[in-house]
Amino acid sequence: MNLAKIEELARQLIIEIGEDPKREGLKDTPKRVAKSFERIFGGYLKDPKEILTTFDGENYDEMIICKNIDFYSTCEHHMQPFFGQAWIGYIPNKKIVGISKLPRILDIFSRRLQNQERITTQVADTLQELLSPIGVGVVLEAEHLCMKCRGVEKQNTLMTTSAFRGTFKKKAKTRYEFLKLIK
Ligand code: ZN
């Protein structure tokens, strides 16, 4: 990511919307935008394979769930933020993962230009691939600024997406247990 280039593009954008990039409040805005992009789109520079260290599960064979994980992303259609919470669960197959790694995987995929459906399936597929668990369940709930400040202008709408793999997909009972535990 070339921060100097992003800074210049942000300055151009300020001019194009009819503002004066030299006025007091906007003077350092392009620099701040570039700096914030480093974080907001930092997911492109990271690979979930490199952070996912696994441990011996010591025969633990029930559901493990990380709940109420805040996430922040940017919609690829309008470049407007969407953000909310995620619930990620799995049933281990001998291997478990450090619980903080679940939010970190979510961060890697959400800090890109995205849609909510894709983040949900990417998190589920990555866990299925790297951890080979008995099953995985991922639920995301988010509010989309592109729906609030433009378009249909609905202020209280939430969008929910889910992805299930393995036994979460095959067995309704397992899926219900997960959905009950995340309530
Ligand atoms: Zn959008």
Side-chain angles (χ1 to χ4, degrees), residues 38-66:
E38 220 181 2
R39 180 85 185 97
I40 295 167
F41 299 114
Y44 289 110
L45 309 169
K46 292 178 191 138
D47 180 357
K49 286 190 192 79
E50 280 160 27
I51 63 140
L52 204 89
T53 39
T54 58
F55 304 96
D56 176 15
E58 297 170 14
N59 301 323
Y60 182 91
D61 60 359
E62 292 294 337
M63 213 172 275
I64 299 169
I65 305 175
C66 193

PDB file of all heavy atoms in Angstrom, residues 38-66:
ATOM      1  N   GLU A  38      -4.453   2.182   6.075  1.00  0.00           N
ATOM      2  CA  GLU A  38      -3.477   1.161   6.443  1.00  0.00           C
ATOM      3  C   GLU A  38      -4.120   0.138   7.386  1.00  0.00           C
ATOM      4  O   GLU A  38      -3.860  -1.055   7.310  1.00  0.00           O
ATOM      5  CB  GLU A  38      -2.297   1.842   7.145  1.00  0.00           C
ATOM      6  CG  GLU A  38      -0.977   1.273   6.766  1.00  0.00           C
ATOM      7  CD  GLU A  38       0.166   1.958   7.493  1.00  0.00           C
ATOM      8  OE1 GLU A  38      -0.064   2.855   8.338  1.00  0.00           O
ATOM      9  OE2 GLU A  38       1.300   1.576   7.204  1.00  0.00           O
ATOM     10  N   ARG A  39      -4.971   0.648   8.284  1.00  0.00           N
ATOM     11  CA  ARG A  39      -5.630  -0.223   9.248  1.00  0.00           C
ATOM     12  C   ARG A  39      -6.903  -0.841   8.641  1.00  0.00           C
ATOM     13  O   ARG A  39      -7.114  -2.043   8.719  1.00  0.00           O
ATOM     14  CB  ARG A  39      -5.993   0.610  10.494  1.00  0.00           C
ATOM     15  CG  ARG A  39      -6.681  -0.155  11.589  1.00  0.00           C
ATOM     16  CD  ARG A  39      -5.675  -0.842  12.501  1.00  0.00           C
ATOM     17  NE  ARG A  39      -6.349  -1.668  13.487  1.00  0.00           N
ATOM     18  CZ  ARG A  39      -6.530  -2.977  13.364  1.00  0.00           C
ATOM     19  NH1 ARG A  39      -6.094  -3.598  12.295  1.00  0.00           N
ATOM     20  NH2 ARG A  39      -7.133  -3.661  14.301  1.00  0.00           N
ATOM     21  N   ILE A  40      -7.732   0.013   8.020  1.00  0.00           N
ATOM     22  CA  ILE A  40      -9.026  -0.444   7.495  1.00  0.00           C
ATOM     23  C   ILE A  40      -8.858  -1.513   6.408  1.00  0.00           C
ATOM     24  O   ILE A  40      -9.652  -2.433   6.311  1.00  0.00           O
ATOM     25  CB  ILE A  40      -9.836   0.765   6.948  1.00  0.00           C
ATOM     26  CG1 ILE A  40     -10.196   1.729   8.096  1.00  0.00           C
ATOM     27  CG2 ILE A  40     -11.105   0.314   6.243  1.00  0.00           C
ATOM     28  CD1 ILE A  40     -10.706   3.085   7.627  1.00  0.00           C
ATOM     29  N   PHE A  41      -7.797  -1.377   5.598  1.00  0.00           N
ATOM     30  CA  PHE A  41      -7.567  -2.345   4.523  1.00  0.00           C
ATOM     31  C   PHE A  41      -6.315  -3.186   4.782  1.00  0.00           C
ATOM     32  O   PHE A  41      -5.689  -3.699   3.851  1.00  0.00           O
ATOM     33  CB  PHE A  41      -7.494  -1.626   3.171  1.00  0.00           C
ATOM     34  CG  PHE A  41      -8.778  -0.905   2.842  1.00  0.00           C
ATOM     35  CD1 PHE A  41      -8.820   0.475   2.761  1.00  0.00           C
ATOM     36  CD2 PHE A  41      -9.956  -1.619   2.675  1.00  0.00           C
ATOM     37  CE1 PHE A  41     -10.017   1.137   2.483  1.00  0.00           C
ATOM     38  CE2 PHE A  41     -11.159  -0.969   2.398  1.00  0.00           C
ATOM     39  CZ  PHE A  41     -11.184   0.419   2.308  1.00  0.00           C
ATOM     40  N   GLY A  42      -5.967  -3.296   6.055  1.00  0.00           N
ATOM     41  CA  GLY A  42      -4.768  -4.050   6.441  1.00  0.00           C
ATOM     42  C   GLY A  42      -4.893  -5.553   6.234  1.00  0.00           C
ATOM     43  O   GLY A  42      -3.904  -6.273   6.314  1.00  0.00           O
ATOM     44  N   GLY A  43      -6.122  -6.023   5.961  1.00  0.00           N
ATOM     45  CA  GLY A  43      -6.340  -7.468   5.806  1.00  0.00           C
ATOM     46  C   GLY A  43      -5.686  -8.057   4.569  1.00  0.00           C
ATOM     47  O   GLY A  43      -5.451  -9.264   4.495  1.00  0.00           O
ATOM     48  N   TYR A  44      -5.381  -7.202   3.571  1.00  0.00           N
ATOM     49  CA  TYR A  44      -4.756  -7.719   2.351  1.00  0.00           C
ATOM     50  C   TYR A  44      -3.335  -8.207   2.601  1.00  0.00           C
ATOM     51  O   TYR A  44      -2.809  -9.024   1.862  1.00  0.00           O
ATOM     52  CB  TYR A  44      -4.703  -6.619   1.277  1.00  0.00           C
ATOM     53  CG  TYR A  44      -6.054  -6.286   0.706  1.00  0.00           C
ATOM     54  CD1 TYR A  44      -6.655  -5.060   0.985  1.00  0.00           C
ATOM     55  CD2 TYR A  44      -6.725  -7.189  -0.099  1.00  0.00           C
ATOM     56  CE1 TYR A  44      -7.896  -4.742   0.464  1.00  0.00           C
ATOM     57  CE2 TYR A  44      -7.969  -6.886  -0.621  1.00  0.00           C
ATOM     58  CZ  TYR A  44      -8.556  -5.660  -0.340  1.00  0.00           C
ATOM     59  OH  TYR A  44      -9.778  -5.354  -0.850  1.00  0.00           O
ATOM     60  N   LEU A  45      -2.715  -7.669   3.643  1.00  0.00           N
ATOM     61  CA  LEU A  45      -1.304  -7.975   3.877  1.00  0.00           C
ATOM     62  C   LEU A  45      -1.114  -9.206   4.767  1.00  0.00           C
ATOM     63  O   LEU A  45       0.003  -9.599   5.036  1.00  0.00           O
ATOM     64  CB  LEU A  45      -0.611  -6.765   4.534  1.00  0.00           C
ATOM     65  CG  LEU A  45      -0.825  -5.425   3.827  1.00  0.00           C
ATOM     66  CD1 LEU A  45      -0.337  -4.276   4.687  1.00  0.00           C
ATOM     67  CD2 LEU A  45      -0.109  -5.430   2.479  1.00  0.00           C
ATOM     68  N   LYS A  46      -2.239  -9.785   5.218  1.00  0.00           N
ATOM     69  CA  LYS A  46      -2.099 -10.897   6.166  1.00  0.00           C
ATOM     70  C   LYS A  46      -2.694 -12.196   5.630  1.00  0.00           C
ATOM     71  O   LYS A  46      -3.668 -12.189   4.895  1.00  0.00           O
ATOM     72  CB  LYS A  46      -2.788 -10.519   7.483  1.00  0.00           C
ATOM     73  CG  LYS A  46      -2.059  -9.399   8.197  1.00  0.00           C
ATOM     74  CD  LYS A  46      -2.769  -8.996   9.467  1.00  0.00           C
ATOM     75  CE  LYS A  46      -2.183  -7.717  10.031  1.00  0.00           C
ATOM     76  NZ  LYS A  46      -3.215  -6.805  10.523  1.00  0.00           N
ATOM     77  N   ASP A  47      -2.085 -13.287   6.060  1.00  0.00           N
ATOM     78  CA  ASP A  47      -2.517 -14.613   5.636  1.00  0.00           C
ATOM     79  C   ASP A  47      -2.937 -15.404   6.874  1.00  0.00           C
ATOM     80  O   ASP A  47      -2.132 -15.593   7.790  1.00  0.00           O
ATOM     81  CB  ASP A  47      -1.330 -15.297   4.931  1.00  0.00           C
ATOM     82  CG  ASP A  47      -1.681 -16.698   4.460  1.00  0.00           C
ATOM     83  OD1 ASP A  47      -2.815 -17.167   4.725  1.00  0.00           O
ATOM     84  OD2 ASP A  47      -0.815 -17.327   3.826  1.00  0.00           O
ATOM     85  N   PRO A  48      -4.204 -15.865   6.921  1.00  0.00           N
ATOM     86  CA  PRO A  48      -4.667 -16.591   8.117  1.00  0.00           C
ATOM     87  C   PRO A  48      -3.817 -17.821   8.436  1.00  0.00           C
ATOM     88  O   PRO A  48      -3.692 -18.214   9.591  1.00  0.00           O
ATOM     89  CB  PRO A  48      -6.100 -16.987   7.775  1.00  0.00           C
ATOM     90  CG  PRO A  48      -6.345 -16.592   6.377  1.00  0.00           C
ATOM     91  CD  PRO A  48      -5.246 -15.699   5.921  1.00  0.00           C
ATOM     92  N   LYS A  49      -3.205 -18.414   7.397  1.00  0.00           N
ATOM     93  CA  LYS A  49      -2.363 -19.610   7.620  1.00  0.00           C
ATOM     94  C   LYS A  49      -1.209 -19.303   8.567  1.00  0.00           C
ATOM     95  O   LYS A  49      -0.743 -20.156   9.314  1.00  0.00           O
ATOM     96  CB  LYS A  49      -1.802 -20.124   6.295  1.00  0.00           C
ATOM     97  CG  LYS A  49      -2.833 -20.821   5.443  1.00  0.00           C
ATOM     98  CD  LYS A  49      -2.162 -21.520   4.251  1.00  0.00           C
ATOM     99  CE  LYS A  49      -3.196 -21.965   3.244  1.00  0.00           C
ATOM    100  NZ  LYS A  49      -3.689 -20.878   2.373  1.00  0.00           N
ATOM    101  N   GLU A  50      -0.722 -18.059   8.503  1.00  0.00           N
ATOM    102  CA  GLU A  50       0.449 -17.700   9.309  1.00  0.00           C
ATOM    103  C   GLU A  50       0.124 -17.438  10.775  1.00  0.00           C
ATOM    104  O   GLU A  50       1.021 -17.466  11.613  1.00  0.00           O
ATOM    105  CB  GLU A  50       1.140 -16.476   8.702  1.00  0.00           C
ATOM    106  CG  GLU A  50       2.005 -16.867   7.519  1.00  0.00           C
ATOM    107  CD  GLU A  50       2.322 -15.695   6.613  1.00  0.00           C
ATOM    108  OE1 GLU A  50       2.332 -14.550   7.103  1.00  0.00           O
ATOM    109  OE2 GLU A  50       2.548 -15.946   5.414  1.00  0.00           O
ATOM    110  N   ILE A  51      -1.147 -17.165  11.089  1.00  0.00           N
ATOM    111  CA  ILE A  51      -1.458 -16.862  12.483  1.00  0.00           C
ATOM    112  C   ILE A  51      -2.126 -18.022  13.219  1.00  0.00           C
ATOM    113  O   ILE A  51      -2.202 -18.032  14.429  1.00  0.00           O
ATOM    114  CB  ILE A  51      -2.359 -15.604  12.606  1.00  0.00           C
ATOM    115  CG1 ILE A  51      -3.713 -15.843  11.927  1.00  0.00           C
ATOM    116  CG2 ILE A  51      -1.678 -14.376  12.030  1.00  0.00           C
ATOM    117  CD1 ILE A  51      -4.849 -15.250  12.705  1.00  0.00           C
ATOM    118  N   LEU A  52      -2.594 -19.025  12.458  1.00  0.00           N
ATOM    119  CA  LEU A  52      -3.397 -20.064  13.087  1.00  0.00           C
ATOM    120  C   LEU A  52      -2.549 -21.198  13.670  1.00  0.00           C
ATOM    121  O   LEU A  52      -2.334 -22.211  13.032  1.00  0.00           O
ATOM    122  CB  LEU A  52      -4.428 -20.623  12.108  1.00  0.00           C
ATOM    123  CG  LEU A  52      -5.620 -21.254  12.810  1.00  0.00           C
ATOM    124  CD1 LEU A  52      -6.699 -20.222  13.071  1.00  0.00           C
ATOM    125  CD2 LEU A  52      -6.207 -22.385  11.994  1.00  0.00           C
ATOM    126  N   THR A  53      -2.065 -20.996  14.898  1.00  0.00           N
ATOM    127  CA  THR A  53      -1.347 -22.066  15.585  1.00  0.00           C
ATOM    128  C   THR A  53      -2.358 -22.959  16.304  1.00  0.00           C
ATOM    129  O   THR A  53      -3.311 -22.470  16.892  1.00  0.00           O
ATOM    130  CB  THR A  53      -0.362 -21.498  16.610  1.00  0.00           C
ATOM    131  OG1 THR A  53      -0.990 -20.379  17.252  1.00  0.00           O
ATOM    132  CG2 THR A  53       0.909 -21.024  15.948  1.00  0.00           C
ATOM    133  N   THR A  54      -2.135 -24.261  16.241  1.00  0.00           N
ATOM    134  CA  THR A  54      -3.081 -25.197  16.866  1.00  0.00           C
ATOM    135  C   THR A  54      -2.436 -25.910  18.060  1.00  0.00           C
ATOM    136  O   THR A  54      -1.214 -25.976  18.174  1.00  0.00           O
ATOM    137  CB  THR A  54      -3.565 -26.244  15.849  1.00  0.00           C
ATOM    138  OG1 THR A  54      -2.437 -26.943  15.337  1.00  0.00           O
ATOM    139  CG2 THR A  54      -4.307 -25.594  14.703  1.00  0.00           C
ATOM    140  N   PHE A  55      -3.301 -26.391  18.940  1.00  0.00           N
ATOM    141  CA  PHE A  55      -2.850 -27.136  20.120  1.00  0.00           C
ATOM    142  C   PHE A  55      -3.586 -28.473  20.191  1.00  0.00           C
ATOM    143  O   PHE A  55      -4.631 -28.639  19.576  1.00  0.00           O
ATOM    144  CB  PHE A  55      -3.162 -26.351  21.404  1.00  0.00           C
ATOM    145  CG  PHE A  55      -2.583 -24.980  21.428  1.00  0.00           C
ATOM    146  CD1 PHE A  55      -3.343 -23.888  21.046  1.00  0.00           C
ATOM    147  CD2 PHE A  55      -1.260 -24.779  21.832  1.00  0.00           C
ATOM    148  CE1 PHE A  55      -2.805 -22.605  21.067  1.00  0.00           C
ATOM    149  CE2 PHE A  55      -0.723 -23.503  21.858  1.00  0.00           C
ATOM    150  CZ  PHE A  55      -1.491 -22.415  21.476  1.00  0.00           C
ATOM    151  N   ASP A  56      -3.045 -29.373  20.988  1.00  0.00           N
ATOM    152  CA  ASP A  56      -3.701 -30.649  21.237  1.00  0.00           C
ATOM    153  C   ASP A  56      -4.977 -30.390  22.053  1.00  0.00           C
ATOM    154  O   ASP A  56      -4.934 -29.716  23.080  1.00  0.00           O
ATOM    155  CB  ASP A  56      -2.741 -31.544  22.022  1.00  0.00           C
ATOM    156  CG  ASP A  56      -3.385 -32.869  22.402  1.00  0.00           C
ATOM    157  OD1 ASP A  56      -4.442 -33.210  21.830  1.00  0.00           O
ATOM    158  OD2 ASP A  56      -2.832 -33.551  23.279  1.00  0.00           O
ATOM    159  N   GLY A  57      -6.108 -30.902  21.602  1.00  0.00           N
ATOM    160  CA  GLY A  57      -7.389 -30.650  22.256  1.00  0.00           C
ATOM    161  C   GLY A  57      -7.624 -31.465  23.515  1.00  0.00           C
ATOM    162  O   GLY A  57      -8.638 -31.269  24.189  1.00  0.00           O
ATOM    163  N   GLU A  58      -6.728 -32.370  23.859  1.00  0.00           N
ATOM    164  CA  GLU A  58      -6.831 -33.216  25.058  1.00  0.00           C
ATOM    165  C   GLU A  58      -8.222 -33.832  25.205  1.00  0.00           C
ATOM    166  O   GLU A  58      -8.845 -33.779  26.274  1.00  0.00           O
ATOM    167  CB  GLU A  58      -6.477 -32.414  26.316  1.00  0.00           C
ATOM    168  CG  GLU A  58      -5.039 -31.923  26.304  1.00  0.00           C
ATOM    169  CD  GLU A  58      -4.752 -30.933  27.429  1.00  0.00           C
ATOM    170  OE1 GLU A  58      -5.574 -30.843  28.356  1.00  0.00           O
ATOM    171  OE2 GLU A  58      -3.698 -30.274  27.348  1.00  0.00           O
ATOM    172  N   ASN A  59      -8.705 -34.397  24.125  1.00  0.00           N
ATOM    173  CA  ASN A  59      -9.996 -35.111  24.088  1.00  0.00           C
ATOM    174  C   ASN A  59     -11.228 -34.232  24.276  1.00  0.00           C
ATOM    175  O   ASN A  59     -12.321 -34.765  24.423  1.00  0.00           O
ATOM    176  CB  ASN A  59     -10.032 -36.252  25.114  1.00  0.00           C
ATOM    177  CG  ASN A  59      -8.933 -37.261  24.857  1.00  0.00           C
ATOM    178  OD1 ASN A  59      -8.609 -37.555  23.702  1.00  0.00           O
ATOM    179  ND2 ASN A  59      -8.324 -37.773  25.915  1.00  0.00           N
ATOM    180  N   TYR A  60     -11.063 -32.924  24.305  1.00  0.00           N
ATOM    181  CA  TYR A  60     -12.255 -32.065  24.357  1.00  0.00           C
ATOM    182  C   TYR A  60     -12.998 -32.239  23.027  1.00  0.00           C
ATOM    183  O   TYR A  60     -12.420 -32.037  21.961  1.00  0.00           O
ATOM    184  CB  TYR A  60     -11.861 -30.594  24.558  1.00  0.00           C
ATOM    185  CG  TYR A  60     -13.075 -29.691  24.663  1.00  0.00           C
ATOM    186  CD1 TYR A  60     -13.652 -29.418  25.907  1.00  0.00           C
ATOM    187  CD2 TYR A  60     -13.666 -29.143  23.525  1.00  0.00           C
ATOM    188  CE1 TYR A  60     -14.787 -28.625  26.004  1.00  0.00           C
ATOM    189  CE2 TYR A  60     -14.801 -28.355  23.622  1.00  0.00           C
ATOM    190  CZ  TYR A  60     -15.354 -28.096  24.852  1.00  0.00           C
ATOM    191  OH  TYR A  60     -16.480 -27.316  24.946  1.00  0.00           O
ATOM    192  N   ASP A  61     -14.273 -32.643  23.093  1.00  0.00           N
ATOM    193  CA  ASP A  61     -14.971 -32.931  21.839  1.00  0.00           C
ATOM    194  C   ASP A  61     -16.357 -32.282  21.744  1.00  0.00           C
ATOM    195  O   ASP A  61     -17.220 -32.735  21.004  1.00  0.00           O
ATOM    196  CB  ASP A  61     -15.068 -34.449  21.608  1.00  0.00           C
ATOM    197  CG  ASP A  61     -15.834 -35.162  22.712  1.00  0.00           C
ATOM    198  OD1 ASP A  61     -16.268 -34.478  23.673  1.00  0.00           O
ATOM    199  OD2 ASP A  61     -15.999 -36.391  22.629  1.00  0.00           O
ATOM    200  N   GLU A  62     -16.564 -31.219  22.513  1.00  0.00           N
ATOM    201  CA  GLU A  62     -17.829 -30.497  22.397  1.00  0.00           C
ATOM    202  C   GLU A  62     -17.589 -29.144  21.720  1.00  0.00           C
ATOM    203  O   GLU A  62     -16.463 -28.816  21.346  1.00  0.00           O
ATOM    204  CB  GLU A  62     -18.470 -30.312  23.784  1.00  0.00           C
ATOM    205  CG  GLU A  62     -18.953 -31.613  24.435  1.00  0.00           C
ATOM    206  CD  GLU A  62     -20.113 -32.288  23.685  1.00  0.00           C
ATOM    207  OE1 GLU A  62     -20.828 -31.580  22.944  1.00  0.00           O
ATOM    208  OE2 GLU A  62     -20.288 -33.499  23.825  1.00  0.00           O
ATOM    209  N   MET A  63     -18.647 -28.373  21.630  1.00  0.00           N
ATOM    210  CA  MET A  63     -18.587 -27.122  20.889  1.00  0.00           C
ATOM    211  C   MET A  63     -17.735 -26.055  21.603  1.00  0.00           C
ATOM    212  O   MET A  63     -17.788 -25.945  22.825  1.00  0.00           O
ATOM    213  CB  MET A  63     -20.017 -26.612  20.730  1.00  0.00           C
ATOM    214  CG  MET A  63     -20.272 -25.881  19.458  1.00  0.00           C
ATOM    215  SD  MET A  63     -22.044 -25.545  19.271  1.00  0.00           S
ATOM    216  CE  MET A  63     -22.632 -27.058  18.531  1.00  0.00           C
ATOM    217  N   ILE A  64     -16.966 -25.325  20.846  1.00  0.00           N
ATOM    218  CA  ILE A  64     -16.210 -24.172  21.362  1.00  0.00           C
ATOM    219  C   ILE A  64     -16.711 -22.948  20.584  1.00  0.00           C
ATOM    220  O   ILE A  64     -16.734 -22.965  19.348  1.00  0.00           O
ATOM    221  CB  ILE A  64     -14.695 -24.347  21.119  1.00  0.00           C
ATOM    222  CG1 ILE A  64     -14.178 -25.590  21.846  1.00  0.00           C
ATOM    223  CG2 ILE A  64     -13.915 -23.097  21.556  1.00  0.00           C
ATOM    224  CD1 ILE A  64     -12.767 -25.992  21.455  1.00  0.00           C
ATOM    225  N   ILE A  65     -17.127 -21.936  21.326  1.00  0.00           N
ATOM    226  CA  ILE A  65     -17.698 -20.763  20.637  1.00  0.00           C
ATOM    227  C   ILE A  65     -17.054 -19.476  21.139  1.00  0.00           C
ATOM    228  O   ILE A  65     -16.893 -19.283  22.343  1.00  0.00           O
ATOM    229  CB  ILE A  65     -19.223 -20.649  20.873  1.00  0.00           C
ATOM    230  CG1 ILE A  65     -19.933 -21.942  20.457  1.00  0.00           C
ATOM    231  CG2 ILE A  65     -19.799 -19.472  20.093  1.00  0.00           C
ATOM    232  CD1 ILE A  65     -21.419 -21.948  20.779  1.00  0.00           C
ATOM    233  N   CYS A  66     -16.661 -18.619  20.218  1.00  0.00           N
ATOM    234  CA  CYS A  66     -16.215 -17.278  20.574  1.00  0.00           C
ATOM    235  C   CYS A  66     -17.376 -16.339  20.218  1.00  0.00           C
ATOM    236  O   CYS A  66     -17.814 -16.286  19.070  1.00  0.00           O
ATOM    237  CB  CYS A  66     -14.951 -16.919  19.788  1.00  0.00           C
ATOM    238  SG  CYS A  66     -14.136 -15.463  20.418  1.00  0.00           S
TER     239      CYS A  66
END
